[in-house]
Amino acid sequence: MPNHVGDNAGSDEGVPQAEDPSLARIGAFSDGVFAFAITLLVLSIRIPQPTDADASHGLVALLIQQWRSYLAFVLSFMFVGMNWANHRVMFAAFARANHTLVWLNLLYLMLGVAFMPVPTAILGFWLGNANNQIAATVFYGVAAAIGGLAYNLVWWYGAYVAKLTSPNLSDSQRRAHTIAWAPAPFVALALTSVAFVNPPLAVAGFVVIAFAYILPLPKLVAFKQQWHRTRSRHRGEKRR
């Protein structure tokens, strides 16, 4: 009989098991939400029509006028895509799921994924507007920071509170994941504070962060930790 969420909570944690069916269902549902959100992002880009009131300006001019929407689309596409890639890495580290993990994941999907087309559209419409671009950029940054906090909440609960991670995941690997993901919401908040002074600079920072998290940061952090341990061990051997 298939296991449901939390059915295998009492299993031997030291014995590797096949993927929990509940984890597979969480992954499938999450992928659907990511796909839906990333598709909605393009709706913030206007398709000029010959019957539009400003059609006399010419198609090229109307397309160029939407550069803000293109920028917001690329930024948020990378943001949602980066979240999807890291979400896969996170859930690959879990051996099982429970009721709380399911609901925390739903909270993250609501705040950090499904909602993102809204601040994306607002940023695309208002960036460059002297009176409102600060509010638009701050709104986007706060939404990104809240999504990052929700993501880390899922990880901290699963990895440290409920201890749902695979027995094959070492302590150093778990720590590498934490170090890689924990700074994201705080960086987003820092860039949001920059938006009060220079919104375009804050947006540029968001672009850099989105592309930076394309990298396999947990693996890079783990490699750096291993390099430091090896270097320290060699130094100790030389002193002997």
Side-chain angles (χ1 to χ4, degrees):
M1 179 181 297
N3 290 332
H4 296 284
V5 175
D7 283 354
N8 58 347
S11 302
D12 292 335
E13 297 188 10
V15 180
Q17 300 176 8
E19 184 181 13
D20 187 337
S22 60
L23 281 177
R25 295 193 66 184
I26 292 172
F29 178 81
S30 300
D31 285 347
V33 175
F34 277 108
F36 180 71
I38 213 165
T39 302
L40 285 181
L41 293 175
V42 78
L43 297 182
S44 64
I45 299 177
R46 172 193 169 194
I47 306 299
Q49 302 290 332
T51 55
D52 291 344
D54 56 356
S56 60
H57 295 168
L59 178 59
V60 174
L62 294 177
L63 291 175
I64 293 175
Q65 286 174 5
Q66 296 193 79
W67 68 268
R68 301 172 186 85
S69 294
Y70 302 146
L71 175 61
F73 169 74
V74 172
L75 170 60
S76 290
F77 192 97
M78 297 307 301
F79 179 87
V80 175
M82 169 265 293
N83 272 269
W84 171 76
N86 283 287
H87 187 270
R88 289 179 66 249
V89 172
M90 175 169 63
F91 271 82
F94 293 146
R96 61 190 189 280
N98 63 16
H99 184 76
T100 303
L101 185 71
V102 170
W103 283 99
L104 288 177
N105 186 63
L106 284 174
L107 177 67
Y108 159 68
L109 292 175
M110 178 181 69
L111 298 175
V113 182
F115 183 69
M116 285 310 296
V118 176
T120 297
I122 291 174
L123 185 65
F125 291 145
W126 293 100
L127 183 63
N129 183 286
N131 297 323
N132 296 284
Q133 65 175 349
I134 291 178
T137 309
V138 168
F139 183 52
Y140 186 93
V142 169
I146 291 175
L149 287 172
Y151 180 94
N152 277 278
L153 181 61
V154 176
W155 170 247
W156 274 87
Y157 173 79
Y160 296 101
V161 179
K163 301 186 185 303
L164 302 175
T165 51
S166 168
N168 296 323
L169 189 74
S170 66
D171 290 339
S172 61
Q173 289 173 321
R174 183 184 294 106
R175 186 164 53 252
H177 282 69
T178 304
I179 294 172
W181 293 330
F186 303 102
V187 173
L189 287 175
L191 291 173
T192 301
S193 65
V194 172
F196 286 100
V197 179
N198 192 327
L201 180 60
V203 172
F206 289 130
V207 173
V208 171
I209 294 301
F211 279 92
Y213 269 87
I214 294 175
L215 300 173
L217 291 183
K219 289 184 178 181
L220 293 177
V221 172
F223 175 80
K224 184 177 180 180
Q225 291 178 334
Q226 180 62 36
W227 181 79
H228 279 300
R229 285 195 295 269
T230 303
R231 189 177 180 183
S232 298
R233 186 165 55 249
H234 287 168
R235 285 179 177 177
E237 291 174 354
K238 288 182 179 179
R239 289 173 181 174
R240 293 175 187 175

